[in-house]
Structure formats: structure tokens, C-alpha cells
């Protein structure tokens, strides 16, 4: 079983930055996919950024490309999301997630929540205009 704990959320003004962290405990496969997702009130959960632990290959949602950066410190079992130039539309609960098992290629890395099995409880990000 994998436990994920997110930190780093907060309230910022538009144009500001935040850095989210997610610490994983338990065994996360070295070839697992990990990702950041968000859910705003009344909306479905959506993928923001994903990473393949094997080589750091990344993908992003179009809405955050050029503003958000996903990264990892595998030695510390920690996932990061650097969020710059934040917009009010980025306001949401942000969740860290991991797959159960590893993958042999990066091609199947996906931002679909259904791909992921382990989830943290989330950290709130609020951006004011």
C-alpha cells in the first residue's frame, strides 16, 4: 500500500507562484507513473501533469503548459509541482496520485484519473484576481 501526503498549498494573488510537494510512503514502483490532479467545486477531477519515475518523462495539460513544472526526487520519494504565473482558474484542490505497478514505456503515461490507484487527500490552492 502506498500513502501520499501533499503539502504546499495556499492563497496567492494572480501571477504568483506556489510549489506543491507530495511525499510517498510504502513501495512505489520505480517504473510507476505519478501525477498531479486538481478538482474545483462542481467540476470533475482533471489531470494537470504526469511523470514516469523511470526517466522523468513528463506530460502536461494544455492549460498549464509553460506555467507548471512537475519534477521528482526519487531518493526521497517526493514529487513536486512548481506552479508559476498562477491564474484564478487554477483555484482547486490539488491531489497527488500514483499507479499500482510499473510500466515498460512512457507512451502509456496518461492524465486520466482512472489510470491511477493511490491518492493523497489533497492540498488547497486559491488564486485571487
Amino acid at each position: 500500500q502506498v500513502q501520499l501526503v501533499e503539502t504546499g498549498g495556499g492563497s496567492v494573488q494572480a501571477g504568483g507562484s506556489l510549489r506543491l510537494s507530495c511525499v510517498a510512503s510504502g513501495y512505489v514502483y520505480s517504473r510507476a507513473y505519478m501525477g498531479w490532479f486538481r478538482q474545483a467545486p462542481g467540476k470533475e477531477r482533471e489531470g494537470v501533469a504526469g511523470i514516469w519515475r523511470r526517466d522523468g518523462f513528463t506530460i502536461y495539460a494544455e492549460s498549464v503548459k509553460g506555467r507548471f513544472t512537475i519534477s521528482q526526487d526519487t531518493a526521497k520519494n517526493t514529487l513536486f509541482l512548481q506552479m508559476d504565473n498562477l491564474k484564478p482558474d487554477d483555484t482547486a484542490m490539488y491531489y497527488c496520485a500514483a499507479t499500482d505497478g510499473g510500466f515498460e514505456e512512457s507512451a502509456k503515461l496518461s492524465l486520466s484519473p482512472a489510470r491511477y490507484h493511490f491518492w493523497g487527500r489533497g492540498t488547497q490552492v486559491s488564486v485571487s484576481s
Side-chain angles (χ1 to χ4, degrees):
Q1 192 74 8
V2 175
Q3 291 80 42
L4 303 169
V5 178
E6 306 95 334
T7 58
S11 298
V12 297
Q13 290 190 328
S17 298
L18 284 172
R19 189 189 196 209
L20 306 184
S21 298
C22 170
V23 177
S25 59
Y27 184 74
V28 182
Y29 284 85
S30 62
R31 295 172 183 263
Y33 297 148
M34 295 191 73
W36 286 98
F37 297 78
R38 65 187 182 188
Q39 188 167 18
K43 295 187 177 181
E44 293 187 354
R45 189 169 297 188
E46 64 173 351
V48 173
I51 191 167
W52 188 32
R53 296 189 85 219
R54 170 67 176 84
D55 66 358
F57 178 82
T58 59
I59 58 172
Y60 295 91
E62 284 296 326
S63 59
V64 305
K65 276 184 180 179
R67 300 188 299 121
F68 290 12
T69 303
I70 187 172
S71 61
Q72 62 181 353
D73 183 338
T74 54
K76 295 183 178 180
N77 262 356
T78 304
L79 186 71
F80 303 101
L81 185 68
Q82 177 66 41
M83 305 186 294
D84 297 318
N85 191 21
L86 282 160
K87 303 176 180 180
D89 284 349
D90 295 319
T91 295
M93 185 71 79
Y94 282 71
Y95 299 91
C96 171
T99 58
D100 182 11
F103 296 84
E104 293 302 315
E105 57 183 350
S106 62
K108 294 181 179 179
L109 180 57
S110 167
L111 294 180
S112 169
R115 167 74 74 178
Y116 297 80
H117 307 91
F118 302 111
W119 293 84
R121 293 188 174 185
T123 185
Q124 178 68 39
V125 171
S126 298
V127 184
S128 59
S129 57

